[in-house]
Amino acid sequence: MAGRTPQKFQIPTQLFINGKLVDSHSTERHGLYNPIDETLITDQIQYAVAEDVDAAVAAAQAALQGPWKKFTAAARGDCLLKLAELLLEHKEELAWLDATPIGKPEAFSKMEVDMGVSIFKYYAGWADKYVGESAPAHDGFMKIVRHEPLGVTCGINPWNGPISTMCLKLAPALATGNVMILKPSEKTPFGTIRFAALATEAGIVPPGVIQTLPGDGKTGALLSSHMGIRKISFTGSVATGKRIQQAAAASNLKRVTLELGGKSPSAIFDDCNFENAVFWSTLAITQNTGQACFAASRLYVQESIAGKFIAAFTEAMKKKIEGLGTELGPLADASQLQRVASFFERDAGKTQVLVGGKRHGDKGCFWEPTILFNPDLNAELYREEIFGPVVCVRTFKDEAEFLRLANDSEFGLMAGVFTQDINRAMRLAAELDSGVVGINCVSYINLEAPFGGTKQSGVGREMSHYALRAYTEPKTVLIK
């Protein structure tokens, strides 16, 4: 690897603790390479170690009991509105900082910033409206339920959607009166560090309310087991989610929200809107180069239209290959490229490749959008999350067969049903073992509705008012 990526903006590589950019207690420095051309972005990234985690927790506790405690709910709502304005003001910078390390098209990252703006505005409206409850005093006791903040919370975020995921955790946490320590992925730390610094430097939040500790799994483990942290919200792999839940239980039984992997099924029935089904099926596996937890990577097509649909879908995916490097970015880095390739090495001969199935070019981390037809039901390619633009296609006869195939998975994050029969749609929505079901759409989420999975796809929900519950503890007050 040679050369350096041109820098449009200054790259933050330090930790952000108690209102200041500070050096890690570790002298180790780490590097990131641009997956488009393999040039060096920086080799000076610092990771937080135990002393840094302790310092951040102490600063968070001081802010929680000090200036932040004095903010009324309405004042917290105003803070969130100002954070939304801050995102817009620094849109170009933040989008570049988060897009560059993983080769994501900047236009896509700018859309993520816009989503972050919507998230902050949404929860700004909730800040003074997440009210308690009371029950009748017919038994001589007045019963009041208060929603109280958990305290010091932590968001451990993924690399595939760093800005939007940061906002999904930070906004409801702040709206309900918590403070948050953010640990971005070691692959995409820059935007989160910069945002925390901007928010504090602008005086929107007091020092210690938003802090950033870049690092790898070791940093995440320190946060998950820290006795001063009361809540972890994690988005990432099933394996890491299990370790976080174990650490949380073994330490102080901190609350945990886990949004984990998926192998989402989608059914194409013969009465579907054909063009709509092709559009969503293509988008579902190619948006963010297939690096999305809710990607519809298991596609089931009814036998009567299988030939026609698969032909159209194949042509749509071929066009996506032509867009590699422009509208479609690379995989996140060399390790992700190797991960995707390894599935094909282990499961060679267990499926028919209709299009793609290989690295694109000899420079950068590009993988061709891929359709696998009729894979072996026990193949890893079919059963495990690949996290790339790879979709498995099988045919089915009727609703019963589709449900059997769709629910035969340890994942349950997203599902799709394409049909114009509303009765069928609602029957299947009830029977699919999935946290979200799209009717005539798939791999789509909406801020106003809860998002999360069943089985090993996660614990708890993000988005909507359901996220507020994850950052508060109900307290019952009984009055005689």
Side-chain angles (χ1 to χ4, degrees), residues 154-446:
C154 175
I156 301 180
N157 296 332
W159 48 262
N160 60 324
I163 293 178
S164 55
T165 310
M166 174 191 74
C167 297
L168 280 174
K169 299 182 190 307
L170 186 59
L174 298 186
T176 48
N178 300 278
V179 297
M180 178 164 272
I181 298 169
L182 296 163
K183 195 210 83 68
S185 166
E186 62 271 31
K187 297 182 182 183
T188 52
F190 307 137
T192 306
I193 300 170
R194 180 62 174 148
F195 181 77
L198 286 169
T200 309
E201 291 166 3
I204 298 174
V205 295
V209 173
I210 305 174
Q211 301 178 91
T212 303
L213 298 180
D216 57 11
K218 294 178 183 177
T219 306
L222 290 168
L223 292 163
S224 302
S225 59
H226 201 286
M227 295 295 291
I229 294 175
R230 295 296 170 184
K231 160 68 188 261
I232 294 281
S233 178
F234 170 74
T235 300
S237 71
V238 173
T240 303
K242 289 179 178 179
R243 289 195 293 270
I244 287 173
Q245 193 168 42
Q246 289 166 353
S251 54
N252 58 353
L253 280 177
K254 56 176 63 66
R255 305 296 181 264
V256 176
T257 299
L258 303 175
E259 197 273 282
L260 307 176
K263 193 72 174 177
S264 300
S266 183
I268 311 297
F269 283 90
D270 56 13
D271 68 340
C272 70
N273 179 318
F274 192 85
E275 289 75 18
N276 180 66
V278 172
F279 169 80
W280 280 100
S281 298
T282 307
L283 177 67
I285 198 62
T286 58
Q287 60 179 325
N288 208 20
T289 318
Q291 298 169 128
C293 55
F294 56 33
S297 54
R298 289 187 294 148
L299 189 61
Y300 301 99
V301 187
Q302 197 160 27
E303 290 176 348
S304 53
I305 62 165
K308 178 183 177 183
F309 182 87
I310 291 171
F313 183 41
T314 299
E315 287 304 309
M317 291 286 274
K318 286 179 179 178
K319 290 180 181 178
K320 289 296 183 179
I321 294 177
E322 296 171 4
L324 279 167
T326 53
E327 63 177 87
L328 205 64
L331 296 172
D333 58 14
S335 65
Q336 187 63 19
L337 177 64
Q338 177 54 40
R339 170 184 163 78
V340 173
S342 69
F343 281 92
F344 290 80
E345 294 165 3
R346 290 193 297 272
D347 286 337
K350 294 183 179 180
T351 184
Q352 179 184 353
V353 180
L354 299 185
V355 64
K358 62 182 185 298
R359 180 181 181 180
H360 185 75
D362 57 5
K363 187 176 184 180
C365 301
F366 294 93
W367 187 270
E368 293 186 355
T370 301
I371 299 176
L372 305 177
F373 181 65
N374 202 29
D376 187 296
L377 292 177
N378 294 314
E380 286 186 74
L381 279 164
Y382 177 75
R383 305 203 70 84
E384 300 299 324
E385 183 178 44
I386 297 174
F387 224 63
V390 181
V391 59
C392 296
V393 177
R394 294 185 65 89
T395 61
F396 70 92
K397 294 180 181 179
D398 51 26
E399 290 181 30
E401 184 177 14
F402 164 65
L403 279 172
R404 178 178 59 79
L405 291 166
N407 288 338
D408 181 23
S409 172
E410 275 299 307
F411 296 106
L413 187 58
M414 171 76 67
V417 178
F418 289 83
T419 178
Q420 297 189 67
D421 183 339
I422 188 61
N423 293 319
R424 167 190 284 158
M426 298 311 294
R427 278 197 306 272
L428 291 173
E431 293 296 329
L432 282 163
D433 197 350
S434 179
V436 184
V437 178
I439 306 299
N440 296 322
C441 61
V442 71
S443 303
Y444 169 77
I445 54 179
N446 191 290

Side-chain angles (χ1 to χ4, degrees), residues 23-44:
D23 286 333
S24 167
H25 279 78
S26 170
T27 58
E28 291 185 19
R29 298 296 180 262
H30 306 268
L32 280 176
Y33 291 86
N34 191 323
I36 293 176
D37 55 15
E38 303 175 44
T39 56
L40 178 68
I41 299 172
T42 180
D43 56 5
Q44 294 299 310

Side-chain angles (χ1 to χ4, degrees), residues 55-66:
V57 172
Q61 291 171 333
L64 185 70
Q65 298 303 320

